[in-house]
Amino acid sequence: MWIADSRPRPLKAGLIGGGSIAGVHARAIRAAGGVLHGVASSAPDRARSAAQTLDAARWYDHPDELLADDTLDLVHICSPNGTHADYARAALTAGKHVVCEKPLAVSPADAQELAALATARGLVATVPFVYRYHPMAVEARARAAAGALGPLVSVRGGYLQEWRLAYDEDGWWTNPTATGPSRAFGDIGSHLGDLTEFITGDHVRRVSAATRTVRDRSPRGRPLTTEDVAAVTVELAGGAVGTLLVSQMALGRKNHLFIEVSGTEANLLFEQENPNTLWYAARTGGQGAIPRDTPQLSAEAARLSVLPAGHPMGYQDAFNAFVRDTHAAVHGQTSAELPTFHDGAAMVRLTQAVVDSAATGGWTEVAAPPATAPATAATTKEQATHD
Ligand SMILES: NC(=O)c1ccc[n+]([C@@H]2O[C@H](COP(=O)([O-])OP(=O)(O)OC[C@H]3O[C@@H](n4cnc5c(N)ncnc54)[C@H](O)[C@@H]3O)[C@@H](O)[C@H]2O)c1
């Protein structure tokens, strides 16, 4: 018997950078049915060792060699922040689809140029804002979009880690050229800002930020000017106000990312270290935990809820779903959750506004996307309320 195989062709991916996040990408590529073909890094021996660790077929002596490999469909950029723009530009110019780690670039101009380039070339270009891919984060967004919260009053978010207090070695993160003008906010505040905009369907219009560099020397004595902590007051385009606290010096906090969105009718809290429930309170009565229990979920959240309720899903599942959607987009099937370079550029603009506000001590407008940028969930909703 002959059975036609209608499954799409497996995509062949290469990784630039083979450090801590590369393993998460490698597992997600395979979970999506793709092939991790090869790895390039800062030096040939590093590429070789990463390729062996990640079980890739080959390594490249230089990232340029990977970028010139015509057999690759997709390039994942997992190198330090300051290298992202050049590698992403080269990959898009070579006609490859791209997954680029956050921050997409260290300047808003570069980030916007990359977003425009991907659109102009018709290539899929995504940024792993993967916390969006937790089913209960999607559920929060679906309930907000359906009007269950009523008019949004406030947002309260935080992203707290402790690792900066523990490190006793220098790394690329102690080099301002490699990190860009913001360290903590660009690194993890970009996730928090993205999740805020994703769940509310609104965008941050202006910020008032205070930042602190608690240790102004790296472990080896290199001067550090970028921040360890950022406390940011935000105003959303729809009028809600809120606070976002970002710190990499909060003892005991491994990856404490949370966002609470409060409307006149209901309040929702998503915590990524407890991602299988959503806390809620409703004005008409009742409060508690909404479980990731498929019959109760929106269609959008149910799509991502791939394990039975009571069987916890986590970070790698969210990452896998993100890469699966990236591959589906390459095959022509887009999803509303997929964070593109336009979303990556939005977070570079937000980060720049935080840096500028902290420097001047006043409210700072977040630069608007250029008029040609395609509508995101946030801009679509804003447009709808203006019509
Ligand atoms: N999406 C997420 O949740 C998440 C989590 C962690 C890190 N990240 C991002 O991923 C990137 C890498 O972070 P990491 O924690 O894996 O860092 P890491 O230090 O563990 O790894 C960096 C890798 O890049 C390589 N490298 C250094 N300079 C290079 C260059 N010029 N060209 C090519 N390769 C180079 C290093 O050899 C190493 O293999 C950062 O931009 C970071 O912000 C994202």
PDB file of all heavy atoms in Angstrom, residues 309-341:
ATOM      1  N   ALA A 309      -4.327  17.797  32.036  1.00  0.00           N
ATOM      2  CA  ALA A 309      -4.329  18.588  33.264  1.00  0.00           C
ATOM      3  C   ALA A 309      -3.806  17.723  34.410  1.00  0.00           C
ATOM      4  O   ALA A 309      -4.023  16.509  34.444  1.00  0.00           O
ATOM      5  CB  ALA A 309      -5.742  19.066  33.560  1.00  0.00           C
ATOM      6  N   GLY A 310      -3.099  18.346  35.327  1.00  0.00           N
ATOM      7  CA  GLY A 310      -2.518  17.595  36.446  1.00  0.00           C
ATOM      8  C   GLY A 310      -1.131  17.063  36.134  1.00  0.00           C
ATOM      9  O   GLY A 310      -0.449  16.561  37.020  1.00  0.00           O
ATOM     10  N   HIS A 311      -0.709  17.191  34.879  1.00  0.00           N
ATOM     11  CA  HIS A 311       0.643  16.787  34.473  1.00  0.00           C
ATOM     12  C   HIS A 311       1.373  18.077  34.111  1.00  0.00           C
ATOM     13  O   HIS A 311       1.145  18.619  33.023  1.00  0.00           O
ATOM     14  CB  HIS A 311       0.602  15.839  33.273  1.00  0.00           C
ATOM     15  CG  HIS A 311      -0.118  14.558  33.569  1.00  0.00           C
ATOM     16  ND1 HIS A 311      -1.479  14.499  33.723  1.00  0.00           N
ATOM     17  CD2 HIS A 311       0.348  13.305  33.750  1.00  0.00           C
ATOM     18  CE1 HIS A 311      -1.833  13.261  33.982  1.00  0.00           C
ATOM     19  NE2 HIS A 311      -0.742  12.510  34.016  1.00  0.00           N
ATOM     20  N   PRO A 312       2.215  18.594  35.006  1.00  0.00           N
ATOM     21  CA  PRO A 312       2.730  19.946  34.826  1.00  0.00           C
ATOM     22  C   PRO A 312       3.485  20.154  33.524  1.00  0.00           C
ATOM     23  O   PRO A 312       4.299  19.327  33.115  1.00  0.00           O
ATOM     24  CB  PRO A 312       3.668  20.130  36.024  1.00  0.00           C
ATOM     25  CG  PRO A 312       3.190  19.163  37.045  1.00  0.00           C
ATOM     26  CD  PRO A 312       2.661  17.984  36.278  1.00  0.00           C
ATOM     27  N   MET A 313       3.206  21.280  32.882  1.00  0.00           N
ATOM     28  CA  MET A 313       3.981  21.734  31.728  1.00  0.00           C
ATOM     29  C   MET A 313       4.898  22.853  32.200  1.00  0.00           C
ATOM     30  O   MET A 313       4.623  23.514  33.187  1.00  0.00           O
ATOM     31  CB  MET A 313       3.048  22.250  30.630  1.00  0.00           C
ATOM     32  CG  MET A 313       2.241  21.162  29.972  1.00  0.00           C
ATOM     33  SD  MET A 313       1.130  21.838  28.699  1.00  0.00           S
ATOM     34  CE  MET A 313       2.298  22.498  27.509  1.00  0.00           C
ATOM     35  N   GLY A 314       5.995  23.070  31.483  1.00  0.00           N
ATOM     36  CA  GLY A 314       6.951  24.060  31.956  1.00  0.00           C
ATOM     37  C   GLY A 314       7.670  24.795  30.846  1.00  0.00           C
ATOM     38  O   GLY A 314       7.195  24.863  29.708  1.00  0.00           O
ATOM     39  N   TYR A 315       8.839  25.326  31.207  1.00  0.00           N
ATOM     40  CA  TYR A 315       9.598  26.228  30.344  1.00  0.00           C
ATOM     41  C   TYR A 315       9.976  25.586  29.007  1.00  0.00           C
ATOM     42  O   TYR A 315       9.802  26.177  27.949  1.00  0.00           O
ATOM     43  CB  TYR A 315      10.858  26.670  31.100  1.00  0.00           C
ATOM     44  CG  TYR A 315      11.790  27.536  30.316  1.00  0.00           C
ATOM     45  CD1 TYR A 315      11.437  28.835  29.976  1.00  0.00           C
ATOM     46  CD2 TYR A 315      13.029  27.065  29.896  1.00  0.00           C
ATOM     47  CE1 TYR A 315      12.300  29.641  29.252  1.00  0.00           C
ATOM     48  CE2 TYR A 315      13.898  27.862  29.176  1.00  0.00           C
ATOM     49  CZ  TYR A 315      13.530  29.152  28.858  1.00  0.00           C
ATOM     50  OH  TYR A 315      14.379  29.940  28.133  1.00  0.00           O
ATOM     51  N   GLN A 316      10.485  24.339  29.048  1.00  0.00           N
ATOM     52  CA  GLN A 316      10.903  23.726  27.785  1.00  0.00           C
ATOM     53  C   GLN A 316       9.690  23.482  26.885  1.00  0.00           C
ATOM     54  O   GLN A 316       9.786  23.605  25.657  1.00  0.00           O
ATOM     55  CB  GLN A 316      11.662  22.417  28.034  1.00  0.00           C
ATOM     56  CG  GLN A 316      12.238  21.785  26.763  1.00  0.00           C
ATOM     57  CD  GLN A 316      13.445  22.530  26.178  1.00  0.00           C
ATOM     58  OE1 GLN A 316      14.409  22.800  26.882  1.00  0.00           O
ATOM     59  NE2 GLN A 316      13.397  22.864  24.887  1.00  0.00           N
ATOM     60  N   ASP A 317       8.542  23.153  27.487  1.00  0.00           N
ATOM     61  CA  ASP A 317       7.322  22.991  26.674  1.00  0.00           C
ATOM     62  C   ASP A 317       6.979  24.292  25.956  1.00  0.00           C
ATOM     63  O   ASP A 317       6.563  24.287  24.792  1.00  0.00           O
ATOM     64  CB  ASP A 317       6.138  22.570  27.554  1.00  0.00           C
ATOM     65  CG  ASP A 317       6.331  21.192  28.159  1.00  0.00           C
ATOM     66  OD1 ASP A 317       6.464  20.224  27.394  1.00  0.00           O
ATOM     67  OD2 ASP A 317       6.372  21.089  29.396  1.00  0.00           O
ATOM     68  N   ALA A 318       7.112  25.417  26.690  1.00  0.00           N
ATOM     69  CA  ALA A 318       6.804  26.720  26.083  1.00  0.00           C
ATOM     70  C   ALA A 318       7.785  27.001  24.951  1.00  0.00           C
ATOM     71  O   ALA A 318       7.396  27.456  23.867  1.00  0.00           O
ATOM     72  CB  ALA A 318       6.868  27.819  27.143  1.00  0.00           C
ATOM     73  N   PHE A 319       9.065  26.692  25.196  1.00  0.00           N
ATOM     74  CA  PHE A 319      10.082  26.927  24.166  1.00  0.00           C
ATOM     75  C   PHE A 319       9.809  26.041  22.940  1.00  0.00           C
ATOM     76  O   PHE A 319       9.926  26.468  21.788  1.00  0.00           O
ATOM     77  CB  PHE A 319      11.484  26.656  24.733  1.00  0.00           C
ATOM     78  CG  PHE A 319      12.519  27.614  24.225  1.00  0.00           C
ATOM     79  CD1 PHE A 319      13.056  28.580  25.053  1.00  0.00           C
ATOM     80  CD2 PHE A 319      12.950  27.575  22.911  1.00  0.00           C
ATOM     81  CE1 PHE A 319      13.999  29.484  24.591  1.00  0.00           C
ATOM     82  CE2 PHE A 319      13.899  28.468  22.435  1.00  0.00           C
ATOM     83  CZ  PHE A 319      14.426  29.432  23.286  1.00  0.00           C
ATOM     84  N   ASN A 320       9.448  24.785  23.207  1.00  0.00           N
ATOM     85  CA  ASN A 320       9.156  23.870  22.092  1.00  0.00           C
ATOM     86  C   ASN A 320       8.003  24.394  21.239  1.00  0.00           C
ATOM     87  O   ASN A 320       8.041  24.328  20.003  1.00  0.00           O
ATOM     88  CB  ASN A 320       8.780  22.488  22.630  1.00  0.00           C
ATOM     89  CG  ASN A 320       9.940  21.763  23.289  1.00  0.00           C
ATOM     90  OD1 ASN A 320      11.063  22.249  23.288  1.00  0.00           O
ATOM     91  ND2 ASN A 320       9.664  20.616  23.880  1.00  0.00           N
ATOM     92  N   ALA A 321       6.968  24.909  21.923  1.00  0.00           N
ATOM     93  CA  ALA A 321       5.804  25.411  21.178  1.00  0.00           C
ATOM     94  C   ALA A 321       6.184  26.620  20.337  1.00  0.00           C
ATOM     95  O   ALA A 321       5.722  26.780  19.196  1.00  0.00           O
ATOM     96  CB  ALA A 321       4.681  25.767  22.145  1.00  0.00           C
ATOM     97  N   PHE A 322       7.061  27.461  20.897  1.00  0.00           N
ATOM     98  CA  PHE A 322       7.524  28.639  20.142  1.00  0.00           C
ATOM     99  C   PHE A 322       8.263  28.207  18.864  1.00  0.00           C
ATOM    100  O   PHE A 322       8.013  28.726  17.770  1.00  0.00           O
ATOM    101  CB  PHE A 322       8.429  29.500  21.045  1.00  0.00           C
ATOM    102  CG  PHE A 322       9.358  30.396  20.292  1.00  0.00           C
ATOM    103  CD1 PHE A 322       8.888  31.540  19.649  1.00  0.00           C
ATOM    104  CD2 PHE A 322      10.710  30.093  20.194  1.00  0.00           C
ATOM    105  CE1 PHE A 322       9.745  32.360  18.926  1.00  0.00           C
ATOM    106  CE2 PHE A 322      11.575  30.905  19.468  1.00  0.00           C
ATOM    107  CZ  PHE A 322      11.092  32.038  18.837  1.00  0.00           C
ATOM    108  N   VAL A 323       9.171  27.245  18.998  1.00  0.00           N
ATOM    109  CA  VAL A 323       9.932  26.814  17.806  1.00  0.00           C
ATOM    110  C   VAL A 323       8.998  26.067  16.839  1.00  0.00           C
ATOM    111  O   VAL A 323       9.094  26.217  15.616  1.00  0.00           O
ATOM    112  CB  VAL A 323      11.168  25.975  18.203  1.00  0.00           C
ATOM    113  CG1 VAL A 323      11.854  25.389  16.967  1.00  0.00           C
ATOM    114  CG2 VAL A 323      12.157  26.843  18.987  1.00  0.00           C
ATOM    115  N   ARG A 324       8.059  25.293  17.393  1.00  0.00           N
ATOM    116  CA  ARG A 324       7.085  24.609  16.526  1.00  0.00           C
ATOM    117  C   ARG A 324       6.301  25.632  15.699  1.00  0.00           C
ATOM    118  O   ARG A 324       6.105  25.451  14.491  1.00  0.00           O
ATOM    119  CB  ARG A 324       6.140  23.786  17.409  1.00  0.00           C
ATOM    120  CG  ARG A 324       5.334  22.733  16.669  1.00  0.00           C
ATOM    121  CD  ARG A 324       4.607  21.808  17.644  1.00  0.00           C
ATOM    122  NE  ARG A 324       3.664  22.518  18.487  1.00  0.00           N
ATOM    123  CZ  ARG A 324       3.620  22.451  19.827  1.00  0.00           C
ATOM    124  NH1 ARG A 324       4.487  21.700  20.478  1.00  0.00           N
ATOM    125  NH2 ARG A 324       2.742  23.121  20.518  1.00  0.00           N
ATOM    126  N   ASP A 325       5.885  26.722  16.329  1.00  0.00           N
ATOM    127  CA  ASP A 325       5.147  27.763  15.602  1.00  0.00           C
ATOM    128  C   ASP A 325       6.042  28.493  14.601  1.00  0.00           C
ATOM    129  O   ASP A 325       5.577  28.930  13.542  1.00  0.00           O
ATOM    130  CB  ASP A 325       4.532  28.771  16.574  1.00  0.00           C
ATOM    131  CG  ASP A 325       3.130  28.353  17.030  1.00  0.00           C
ATOM    132  OD1 ASP A 325       2.694  27.227  16.692  1.00  0.00           O
ATOM    133  OD2 ASP A 325       2.467  29.161  17.720  1.00  0.00           O
ATOM    134  N   THR A 326       7.327  28.642  14.949  1.00  0.00           N
ATOM    135  CA  THR A 326       8.261  29.259  13.997  1.00  0.00           C
ATOM    136  C   THR A 326       8.364  28.380  12.751  1.00  0.00           C
ATOM    137  O   THR A 326       8.306  28.877  11.613  1.00  0.00           O
ATOM    138  CB  THR A 326       9.651  29.448  14.652  1.00  0.00           C
ATOM    139  OG1 THR A 326       9.520  30.324  15.782  1.00  0.00           O
ATOM    140  CG2 THR A 326      10.652  30.044  13.675  1.00  0.00           C
ATOM    141  N   HIS A 327       8.497  27.073  12.942  1.00  0.00           N
ATOM    142  CA  HIS A 327       8.576  26.156  11.791  1.00  0.00           C
ATOM    143  C   HIS A 327       7.265  26.181  11.001  1.00  0.00           C
ATOM    144  O   HIS A 327       7.283  26.177   9.765  1.00  0.00           O
ATOM    145  CB  HIS A 327       8.876  24.726  12.261  1.00  0.00           C
ATOM    146  CG  HIS A 327      10.295  24.531  12.715  1.00  0.00           C
ATOM    147  ND1 HIS A 327      10.920  23.316  12.723  1.00  0.00           N
ATOM    148  CD2 HIS A 327      11.210  25.416  13.181  1.00  0.00           C
ATOM    149  CE1 HIS A 327      12.170  23.450  13.161  1.00  0.00           C
ATOM    150  NE2 HIS A 327      12.351  24.711  13.456  1.00  0.00           N
ATOM    151  N   ALA A 328       6.136  26.226  11.718  1.00  0.00           N
ATOM    152  CA  ALA A 328       4.842  26.271  11.012  1.00  0.00           C
ATOM    153  C   ALA A 328       4.756  27.537  10.166  1.00  0.00           C
ATOM    154  O   ALA A 328       4.241  27.510   9.036  1.00  0.00           O
ATOM    155  CB  ALA A 328       3.694  26.212  12.016  1.00  0.00           C
ATOM    156  N   ALA A 329       5.280  28.652  10.701  1.00  0.00           N
ATOM    157  CA  ALA A 329       5.250  29.909   9.939  1.00  0.00           C
ATOM    158  C   ALA A 329       6.102  29.788   8.674  1.00  0.00           C
ATOM    159  O   ALA A 329       5.731  30.302   7.614  1.00  0.00           O
ATOM    160  CB  ALA A 329       5.723  31.064  10.813  1.00  0.00           C
ATOM    161  N   VAL A 330       7.235  29.098   8.777  1.00  0.00           N
ATOM    162  CA  VAL A 330       8.062  28.872   7.576  1.00  0.00           C
ATOM    163  C   VAL A 330       7.257  28.096   6.535  1.00  0.00           C
ATOM    164  O   VAL A 330       7.355  28.339   5.335  1.00  0.00           O
ATOM    165  CB  VAL A 330       9.364  28.127   7.943  1.00  0.00           C
ATOM    166  CG1 VAL A 330      10.108  27.680   6.685  1.00  0.00           C
ATOM    167  CG2 VAL A 330      10.258  29.001   8.823  1.00  0.00           C
ATOM    168  N   HIS A 331       6.408  27.185   7.025  1.00  0.00           N
ATOM    169  CA  HIS A 331       5.580  26.397   6.107  1.00  0.00           C
ATOM    170  C   HIS A 331       4.275  27.118   5.765  1.00  0.00           C
ATOM    171  O   HIS A 331       3.371  26.520   5.183  1.00  0.00           O
ATOM    172  CB  HIS A 331       5.292  25.023   6.720  1.00  0.00           C
ATOM    173  CG  HIS A 331       6.521  24.153   6.815  1.00  0.00           C
ATOM    174  ND1 HIS A 331       7.272  23.775   5.720  1.00  0.00           N
ATOM    175  CD2 HIS A 331       7.144  23.605   7.897  1.00  0.00           C
ATOM    176  CE1 HIS A 331       8.297  23.026   6.110  1.00  0.00           C
ATOM    177  NE2 HIS A 331       8.244  22.909   7.420  1.00  0.00           N
ATOM    178  N   GLY A 332       4.161  28.389   6.166  1.00  0.00           N
ATOM    179  CA  GLY A 332       3.040  29.213   5.715  1.00  0.00           C
ATOM    180  C   GLY A 332       1.872  29.328   6.674  1.00  0.00           C
ATOM    181  O   GLY A 332       0.857  29.929   6.344  1.00  0.00           O
ATOM    182  N   GLN A 333       2.033  28.785   7.900  1.00  0.00           N
ATOM    183  CA  GLN A 333       0.922  28.815   8.846  1.00  0.00           C
ATOM    184  C   GLN A 333       1.301  29.691  10.048  1.00  0.00           C
ATOM    185  O   GLN A 333       2.106  29.292  10.888  1.00  0.00           O
ATOM    186  CB  GLN A 333       0.654  27.387   9.324  1.00  0.00           C
ATOM    187  CG  GLN A 333      -0.714  27.186   9.866  1.00  0.00           C
ATOM    188  CD  GLN A 333      -0.880  25.742  10.366  1.00  0.00           C
ATOM    189  OE1 GLN A 333      -0.128  24.838   9.992  1.00  0.00           O
ATOM    190  NE2 GLN A 333      -1.852  25.545  11.214  1.00  0.00           N
ATOM    191  N   THR A 334       0.736  30.895  10.116  1.00  0.00           N
ATOM    192  CA  THR A 334       1.137  31.800  11.193  1.00  0.00           C
ATOM    193  C   THR A 334       0.209  31.644  12.401  1.00  0.00           C
ATOM    194  O   THR A 334      -0.924  31.193  12.262  1.00  0.00           O
ATOM    195  CB  THR A 334       1.114  33.267  10.736  1.00  0.00           C
ATOM    196  OG1 THR A 334      -0.188  33.546  10.230  1.00  0.00           O
ATOM    197  CG2 THR A 334       2.143  33.531   9.672  1.00  0.00           C
ATOM    198  N   SER A 335       0.697  32.039  13.569  1.00  0.00           N
ATOM    199  CA  SER A 335      -0.137  31.987  14.770  1.00  0.00           C
ATOM    200  C   SER A 335      -0.083  33.335  15.470  1.00  0.00           C
ATOM    201  O   SER A 335       0.904  34.067  15.358  1.00  0.00           O
ATOM    202  CB  SER A 335       0.353  30.893  15.719  1.00  0.00           C
ATOM    203  OG  SER A 335       1.591  31.294  16.265  1.00  0.00           O
ATOM    204  N   ALA A 336      -1.150  33.641  16.203  1.00  0.00           N
ATOM    205  CA  ALA A 336      -1.249  34.951  16.858  1.00  0.00           C
ATOM    206  C   ALA A 336      -0.228  35.099  17.978  1.00  0.00           C
ATOM    207  O   ALA A 336       0.126  36.207  18.370  1.00  0.00           O
ATOM    208  CB  ALA A 336      -2.656  35.127  17.429  1.00  0.00           C
ATOM    209  N   GLU A 337       0.250  33.974  18.509  1.00  0.00           N
ATOM    210  CA  GLU A 337       1.175  34.054  19.643  1.00  0.00           C
ATOM    211  C   GLU A 337       2.614  34.347  19.209  1.00  0.00           C
ATOM    212  O   GLU A 337       3.422  34.792  20.014  1.00  0.00           O
ATOM    213  CB  GLU A 337       1.170  32.726  20.434  1.00  0.00           C
ATOM    214  CG  GLU A 337      -0.085  32.496  21.262  1.00  0.00           C
ATOM    215  CD  GLU A 337      -1.266  32.037  20.418  1.00  0.00           C
ATOM    216  OE1 GLU A 337      -1.042  31.434  19.344  1.00  0.00           O
ATOM    217  OE2 GLU A 337      -2.413  32.296  20.826  1.00  0.00           O
ATOM    218  N   LEU A 338       2.945  34.060  17.968  1.00  0.00           N
ATOM    219  CA  LEU A 338       4.353  34.048  17.561  1.00  0.00           C
ATOM    220  C   LEU A 338       5.006  35.434  17.676  1.00  0.00           C
ATOM    221  O   LEU A 338       4.589  36.373  16.998  1.00  0.00           O
ATOM    222  CB  LEU A 338       4.467  33.536  16.125  1.00  0.00           C
ATOM    223  CG  LEU A 338       5.880  33.172  15.651  1.00  0.00           C
ATOM    224  CD1 LEU A 338       6.448  32.018  16.473  1.00  0.00           C
ATOM    225  CD2 LEU A 338       5.868  32.804  14.171  1.00  0.00           C
ATOM    226  N   PRO A 339       6.049  35.591  18.522  1.00  0.00           N
ATOM    227  CA  PRO A 339       6.722  36.880  18.639  1.00  0.00           C
ATOM    228  C   PRO A 339       7.715  37.083  17.493  1.00  0.00           C
ATOM    229  O   PRO A 339       8.648  36.303  17.321  1.00  0.00           O
ATOM    230  CB  PRO A 339       7.452  36.787  19.985  1.00  0.00           C
ATOM    231  CG  PRO A 339       7.541  35.338  20.313  1.00  0.00           C
ATOM    232  CD  PRO A 339       6.569  34.578  19.470  1.00  0.00           C
ATOM    233  N   THR A 340       7.502  38.119  16.729  1.00  0.00           N
ATOM    234  CA  THR A 340       8.335  38.369  15.549  1.00  0.00           C
ATOM    235  C   THR A 340       9.399  39.422  15.860  1.00  0.00           C
ATOM    236  O   THR A 340       9.448  39.974  16.961  1.00  0.00           O
ATOM    237  CB  THR A 340       7.466  38.902  14.395  1.00  0.00           C
ATOM    238  OG1 THR A 340       7.014  40.208  14.781  1.00  0.00           O
ATOM    239  CG2 THR A 340       6.276  37.988  14.120  1.00  0.00           C
ATOM    240  N   PHE A 341      10.191  39.713  14.847  1.00  0.00           N
ATOM    241  CA  PHE A 341      11.194  40.775  15.017  1.00  0.00           C
ATOM    242  C   PHE A 341      10.511  42.113  15.334  1.00  0.00           C
ATOM    243  O   PHE A 341      11.125  42.984  15.954  1.00  0.00           O
ATOM    244  CB  PHE A 341      12.042  40.908  13.741  1.00  0.00           C
ATOM    245  CG  PHE A 341      13.252  39.996  13.712  1.00  0.00           C
ATOM    246  CD1 PHE A 341      13.330  38.861  14.520  1.00  0.00           C
ATOM    247  CD2 PHE A 341      14.329  40.273  12.871  1.00  0.00           C
ATOM    248  CE1 PHE A 341      14.444  38.020  14.482  1.00  0.00           C
ATOM    249  CE2 PHE A 341      15.456  39.455  12.838  1.00  0.00           C
ATOM    250  CZ  PHE A 341      15.517  38.328  13.641  1.00  0.00           C
TER     251      PHE A 341
END
